[in-house]
PDB file of all heavy atoms in Angstrom:
ATOM      1  N   ALA A  24     -45.162   8.539 -12.518  1.00  0.00           N
ATOM      2  CA  ALA A  24     -46.258   8.057 -11.679  1.00  0.00           C
ATOM      3  C   ALA A  24     -45.788   7.624 -10.299  1.00  0.00           C
ATOM      4  O   ALA A  24     -46.537   7.059  -9.530  1.00  0.00           O
ATOM      5  CB  ALA A  24     -46.947   6.884 -12.382  1.00  0.00           C
ATOM      6  N   THR A  25     -44.532   7.908  -9.960  1.00  0.00           N
ATOM      7  CA  THR A  25     -43.968   7.465  -8.688  1.00  0.00           C
ATOM      8  C   THR A  25     -43.849   8.640  -7.724  1.00  0.00           C
ATOM      9  O   THR A  25     -43.259   9.664  -8.054  1.00  0.00           O
ATOM     10  CB  THR A  25     -42.585   6.829  -8.913  1.00  0.00           C
ATOM     11  OG1 THR A  25     -42.729   5.739  -9.822  1.00  0.00           O
ATOM     12  CG2 THR A  25     -42.003   6.312  -7.610  1.00  0.00           C
ATOM     13  N   PHE A  26     -44.414   8.460  -6.535  1.00  0.00           N
ATOM     14  CA  PHE A  26     -44.368   9.466  -5.476  1.00  0.00           C
ATOM     15  C   PHE A  26     -43.660   8.838  -4.274  1.00  0.00           C
ATOM     16  O   PHE A  26     -43.969   7.715  -3.884  1.00  0.00           O
ATOM     17  CB  PHE A  26     -45.782   9.897  -5.063  1.00  0.00           C
ATOM     18  CG  PHE A  26     -46.546  10.550  -6.173  1.00  0.00           C
ATOM     19  CD1 PHE A  26     -47.257   9.791  -7.092  1.00  0.00           C
ATOM     20  CD2 PHE A  26     -46.551  11.928  -6.309  1.00  0.00           C
ATOM     21  CE1 PHE A  26     -47.957  10.385  -8.120  1.00  0.00           C
ATOM     22  CE2 PHE A  26     -47.256  12.531  -7.336  1.00  0.00           C
ATOM     23  CZ  PHE A  26     -47.955  11.752  -8.245  1.00  0.00           C
ATOM     24  N   VAL A  27     -42.704   9.559  -3.702  1.00  0.00           N
ATOM     25  CA  VAL A  27     -41.957   9.058  -2.550  1.00  0.00           C
ATOM     26  C   VAL A  27     -42.287   9.939  -1.352  1.00  0.00           C
ATOM     27  O   VAL A  27     -42.030  11.148  -1.359  1.00  0.00           O
ATOM     28  CB  VAL A  27     -40.434   9.061  -2.818  1.00  0.00           C
ATOM     29  CG1 VAL A  27     -39.692   8.538  -1.600  1.00  0.00           C
ATOM     30  CG2 VAL A  27     -40.113   8.224  -4.052  1.00  0.00           C
ATOM     31  N   PHE A  28     -42.862   9.325  -0.313  1.00  0.00           N
ATOM     32  CA  PHE A  28     -43.237  10.021   0.912  1.00  0.00           C
ATOM     33  C   PHE A  28     -42.184   9.697   1.974  1.00  0.00           C
ATOM     34  O   PHE A  28     -41.849   8.527   2.187  1.00  0.00           O
ATOM     35  CB  PHE A  28     -44.607   9.539   1.398  1.00  0.00           C
ATOM     36  CG  PHE A  28     -45.725   9.842   0.440  1.00  0.00           C
ATOM     37  CD1 PHE A  28     -45.980   9.016  -0.647  1.00  0.00           C
ATOM     38  CD2 PHE A  28     -46.517  10.955   0.628  1.00  0.00           C
ATOM     39  CE1 PHE A  28     -47.003   9.288  -1.534  1.00  0.00           C
ATOM     40  CE2 PHE A  28     -47.547  11.241  -0.252  1.00  0.00           C
ATOM     41  CZ  PHE A  28     -47.787  10.409  -1.334  1.00  0.00           C
ATOM     42  N   THR A  29     -41.664  10.732   2.646  1.00  0.00           N
ATOM     43  CA  THR A  29     -40.638  10.530   3.664  1.00  0.00           C
ATOM     44  C   THR A  29     -41.028  11.282   4.936  1.00  0.00           C
ATOM     45  O   THR A  29     -41.440  12.443   4.869  1.00  0.00           O
ATOM     46  CB  THR A  29     -39.268  11.032   3.165  1.00  0.00           C
ATOM     47  OG1 THR A  29     -38.952  10.365   1.943  1.00  0.00           O
ATOM     48  CG2 THR A  29     -38.177  10.760   4.189  1.00  0.00           C
ATOM     49  N   VAL A  30     -40.875  10.605   6.072  1.00  0.00           N
ATOM     50  CA  VAL A  30     -41.158  11.200   7.382  1.00  0.00           C
ATOM     51  C   VAL A  30     -39.963  10.949   8.283  1.00  0.00           C
ATOM     52  O   VAL A  30     -39.398   9.858   8.295  1.00  0.00           O
ATOM     53  CB  VAL A  30     -42.428  10.574   8.009  1.00  0.00           C
ATOM     54  CG1 VAL A  30     -42.678  11.139   9.397  1.00  0.00           C
ATOM     55  CG2 VAL A  30     -43.636  10.799   7.129  1.00  0.00           C
ATOM     56  N   LYS A  31     -39.588  11.973   9.036  1.00  0.00           N
ATOM     57  CA  LYS A  31     -38.473  11.847   9.982  1.00  0.00           C
ATOM     58  C   LYS A  31     -38.959  12.271  11.362  1.00  0.00           C
ATOM     59  O   LYS A  31     -39.708  13.247  11.483  1.00  0.00           O
ATOM     60  CB  LYS A  31     -37.295  12.730   9.534  1.00  0.00           C
ATOM     61  CG  LYS A  31     -36.054  12.555  10.366  1.00  0.00           C
ATOM     62  CD  LYS A  31     -34.895  13.354   9.785  1.00  0.00           C
ATOM     63  CE  LYS A  31     -33.638  13.125  10.580  1.00  0.00           C
ATOM     64  NZ  LYS A  31     -32.502  13.866  10.023  1.00  0.00           N
ATOM     65  N   ASP A  32     -38.509  11.549  12.404  1.00  0.00           N
ATOM     66  CA  ASP A  32     -38.926  11.915  13.761  1.00  0.00           C
ATOM     67  C   ASP A  32     -37.772  12.530  14.550  1.00  0.00           C
ATOM     68  O   ASP A  32     -36.644  12.622  14.060  1.00  0.00           O
ATOM     69  CB  ASP A  32     -39.558  10.722  14.493  1.00  0.00           C
ATOM     70  CG  ASP A  32     -38.573   9.637  14.890  1.00  0.00           C
ATOM     71  OD1 ASP A  32     -37.355   9.861  14.842  1.00  0.00           O
ATOM     72  OD2 ASP A  32     -39.041   8.540  15.265  1.00  0.00           O
ATOM     73  N   SER A  33     -38.076  12.952  15.773  1.00  0.00           N
ATOM     74  CA  SER A  33     -37.106  13.664  16.605  1.00  0.00           C
ATOM     75  C   SER A  33     -35.938  12.784  17.045  1.00  0.00           C
ATOM     76  O   SER A  33     -34.924  13.296  17.502  1.00  0.00           O
ATOM     77  CB  SER A  33     -37.804  14.244  17.840  1.00  0.00           C
ATOM     78  OG  SER A  33     -38.444  13.206  18.571  1.00  0.00           O
ATOM     79  N   ARG A  34     -36.038  11.498  16.885  1.00  0.00           N
ATOM     80  CA  ARG A  34     -34.937  10.595  17.232  1.00  0.00           C
ATOM     81  C   ARG A  34     -34.076  10.258  16.020  1.00  0.00           C
ATOM     82  O   ARG A  34     -33.169   9.460  16.108  1.00  0.00           O
ATOM     83  CB  ARG A  34     -35.487   9.319  17.848  1.00  0.00           C
ATOM     84  CG  ARG A  34     -36.189   9.574  19.162  1.00  0.00           C
ATOM     85  CD  ARG A  34     -36.700   8.301  19.746  1.00  0.00           C
ATOM     86  NE  ARG A  34     -37.433   8.606  20.972  1.00  0.00           N
ATOM     87  CZ  ARG A  34     -37.887   7.709  21.796  1.00  0.00           C
ATOM     88  NH1 ARG A  34     -37.679   6.435  21.555  1.00  0.00           N
ATOM     89  NH2 ARG A  34     -38.544   8.072  22.863  1.00  0.00           N
ATOM     90  N   GLY A  35     -34.387  10.868  14.878  1.00  0.00           N
ATOM     91  CA  GLY A  35     -33.599  10.627  13.672  1.00  0.00           C
ATOM     92  C   GLY A  35     -34.063   9.451  12.832  1.00  0.00           C
ATOM     93  O   GLY A  35     -33.451   9.120  11.826  1.00  0.00           O
ATOM     94  N   ASN A  36     -35.143   8.791  13.267  1.00  0.00           N
ATOM     95  CA  ASN A  36     -35.683   7.678  12.483  1.00  0.00           C
ATOM     96  C   ASN A  36     -36.395   8.213  11.249  1.00  0.00           C
ATOM     97  O   ASN A  36     -37.109   9.210  11.318  1.00  0.00           O
ATOM     98  CB  ASN A  36     -36.656   6.844  13.317  1.00  0.00           C
ATOM     99  CG  ASN A  36     -35.983   6.230  14.523  1.00  0.00           C
ATOM    100  OD1 ASN A  36     -34.924   5.632  14.406  1.00  0.00           O
ATOM    101  ND2 ASN A  36     -36.584   6.407  15.692  1.00  0.00           N
ATOM    102  N   THR A  37     -36.197   7.547  10.125  1.00  0.00           N
ATOM    103  CA  THR A  37     -36.812   7.960   8.871  1.00  0.00           C
ATOM    104  C   THR A  37     -37.600   6.797   8.301  1.00  0.00           C
ATOM    105  O   THR A  37     -37.144   5.658   8.307  1.00  0.00           O
ATOM    106  CB  THR A  37     -35.740   8.393   7.847  1.00  0.00           C
ATOM    107  OG1 THR A  37     -34.985   9.466   8.411  1.00  0.00           O
ATOM    108  CG2 THR A  37     -36.367   8.856   6.554  1.00  0.00           C
ATOM    109  N   ARG A  38     -38.792   7.091   7.807  1.00  0.00           N
ATOM    110  CA  ARG A  38     -39.610   6.090   7.127  1.00  0.00           C
ATOM    111  C   ARG A  38     -39.946   6.634   5.751  1.00  0.00           C
ATOM    112  O   ARG A  38     -40.374   7.778   5.606  1.00  0.00           O
ATOM    113  CB  ARG A  38     -40.882   5.789   7.896  1.00  0.00           C
ATOM    114  CG  ARG A  38     -41.735   4.745   7.190  1.00  0.00           C
ATOM    115  CD  ARG A  38     -42.913   4.325   8.020  1.00  0.00           C
ATOM    116  NE  ARG A  38     -43.700   3.360   7.247  1.00  0.00           N
ATOM    117  CZ  ARG A  38     -44.985   3.203   7.389  1.00  0.00           C
ATOM    118  NH1 ARG A  38     -45.645   3.919   8.271  1.00  0.00           N
ATOM    119  NH2 ARG A  38     -45.630   2.316   6.662  1.00  0.00           N
ATOM    120  N   THR A  39     -39.761   5.801   4.748  1.00  0.00           N
ATOM    121  CA  THR A  39     -40.049   6.184   3.373  1.00  0.00           C
ATOM    122  C   THR A  39     -41.014   5.183   2.768  1.00  0.00           C
ATOM    123  O   THR A  39     -40.873   3.974   2.984  1.00  0.00           O
ATOM    124  CB  THR A  39     -38.753   6.224   2.536  1.00  0.00           C
ATOM    125  OG1 THR A  39     -37.871   7.168   3.130  1.00  0.00           O
ATOM    126  CG2 THR A  39     -39.027   6.639   1.108  1.00  0.00           C
ATOM    127  N   GLN A  40     -41.994   5.694   2.032  1.00  0.00           N
ATOM    128  CA  GLN A  40     -42.935   4.829   1.335  1.00  0.00           C
ATOM    129  C   GLN A  40     -43.080   5.334  -0.095  1.00  0.00           C
ATOM    130  O   GLN A  40     -43.267   6.525  -0.318  1.00  0.00           O
ATOM    131  CB  GLN A  40     -44.291   4.808   2.023  1.00  0.00           C
ATOM    132  CG  GLN A  40     -45.279   3.861   1.377  1.00  0.00           C
ATOM    133  CD  GLN A  40     -46.563   3.725   2.185  1.00  0.00           C
ATOM    134  OE1 GLN A  40     -46.716   4.321   3.250  1.00  0.00           O
ATOM    135  NE2 GLN A  40     -47.488   2.955   1.679  1.00  0.00           N
ATOM    136  N   THR A  41     -42.987   4.427  -1.048  1.00  0.00           N
ATOM    137  CA  THR A  41     -43.133   4.776  -2.453  1.00  0.00           C
ATOM    138  C   THR A  41     -44.486   4.304  -2.947  1.00  0.00           C
ATOM    139  O   THR A  41     -44.890   3.161  -2.715  1.00  0.00           O
ATOM    140  CB  THR A  41     -42.019   4.115  -3.293  1.00  0.00           C
ATOM    141  OG1 THR A  41     -40.751   4.563  -2.787  1.00  0.00           O
ATOM    142  CG2 THR A  41     -42.139   4.482  -4.759  1.00  0.00           C
ATOM    143  N   VAL A  42     -45.199   5.203  -3.624  1.00  0.00           N
ATOM    144  CA  VAL A  42     -46.517   4.900  -4.175  1.00  0.00           C
ATOM    145  C   VAL A  42     -46.463   5.171  -5.672  1.00  0.00           C
ATOM    146  O   VAL A  42     -46.016   6.234  -6.097  1.00  0.00           O
ATOM    147  CB  VAL A  42     -47.612   5.770  -3.519  1.00  0.00           C
ATOM    148  CG1 VAL A  42     -48.963   5.519  -4.154  1.00  0.00           C
ATOM    149  CG2 VAL A  42     -47.657   5.524  -2.019  1.00  0.00           C
ATOM    150  N   THR A  43     -46.915   4.193  -6.459  1.00  0.00           N
ATOM    151  CA  THR A  43     -46.966   4.366  -7.903  1.00  0.00           C
ATOM    152  C   THR A  43     -48.419   4.345  -8.353  1.00  0.00           C
ATOM    153  O   THR A  43     -49.170   3.439  -7.997  1.00  0.00           O
ATOM    154  CB  THR A  43     -46.168   3.251  -8.614  1.00  0.00           C
ATOM    155  OG1 THR A  43     -44.825   3.295  -8.142  1.00  0.00           O
ATOM    156  CG2 THR A  43     -46.175   3.451 -10.113  1.00  0.00           C
ATOM    157  N   LYS A  44     -48.808   5.350  -9.110  1.00  0.00           N
ATOM    158  CA  LYS A  44     -50.183   5.492  -9.598  1.00  0.00           C
ATOM    159  C   LYS A  44     -50.213   5.361 -11.112  1.00  0.00           C
ATOM    160  O   LYS A  44     -49.197   5.503 -11.788  1.00  0.00           O
ATOM    161  CB  LYS A  44     -50.761   6.859  -9.190  1.00  0.00           C
ATOM    162  CG  LYS A  44     -50.935   7.031  -7.711  1.00  0.00           C
ATOM    163  CD  LYS A  44     -52.004   6.093  -7.223  1.00  0.00           C
ATOM    164  CE  LYS A  44     -52.372   6.327  -5.779  1.00  0.00           C
ATOM    165  NZ  LYS A  44     -53.450   5.464  -5.354  1.00  0.00           N
ATOM    166  N   THR A  45     -51.390   5.109 -11.641  1.00  0.00           N
ATOM    167  CA  THR A  45     -51.573   5.056 -13.086  1.00  0.00           C
ATOM    168  C   THR A  45     -51.850   6.455 -13.595  1.00  0.00           C
ATOM    169  O   THR A  45     -52.741   7.139 -13.086  1.00  0.00           O
ATOM    170  CB  THR A  45     -52.752   4.131 -13.444  1.00  0.00           C
ATOM    171  OG1 THR A  45     -52.469   2.829 -12.922  1.00  0.00           O
ATOM    172  CG2 THR A  45     -52.948   4.055 -14.944  1.00  0.00           C
ATOM    173  N   LEU A  46     -51.083   6.892 -14.578  1.00  0.00           N
ATOM    174  CA  LEU A  46     -51.299   8.205 -15.179  1.00  0.00           C
ATOM    175  C   LEU A  46     -52.134   8.061 -16.439  1.00  0.00           C
ATOM    176  O   LEU A  46     -52.047   7.059 -17.145  1.00  0.00           O
ATOM    177  CB  LEU A  46     -49.963   8.863 -15.532  1.00  0.00           C
ATOM    178  CG  LEU A  46     -49.018   9.164 -14.381  1.00  0.00           C
ATOM    179  CD1 LEU A  46     -47.759   9.834 -14.914  1.00  0.00           C
ATOM    180  CD2 LEU A  46     -49.680  10.049 -13.342  1.00  0.00           C
ATOM    181  N   ILE A  47     -52.929   9.049 -16.721  1.00  0.00           N
ATOM    182  CA  ILE A  47     -53.743   9.087 -17.934  1.00  0.00           C
ATOM    183  C   ILE A  47     -53.142  10.129 -18.858  1.00  0.00           C
ATOM    184  O   ILE A  47     -53.016  11.295 -18.492  1.00  0.00           O
ATOM    185  CB  ILE A  47     -55.209   9.448 -17.604  1.00  0.00           C
ATOM    186  CG1 ILE A  47     -55.789   8.389 -16.665  1.00  0.00           C
ATOM    187  CG2 ILE A  47     -56.021   9.572 -18.877  1.00  0.00           C
ATOM    188  CD1 ILE A  47     -57.147   8.750 -16.110  1.00  0.00           C
TER     189      ILE A  47
END
């Protein structure tokens, strides 16, 4: 149920966000 979103920009900066959802 864990999804990791990652974004990188032209200056090499990286941002990561983890989202956990309820699975059925």
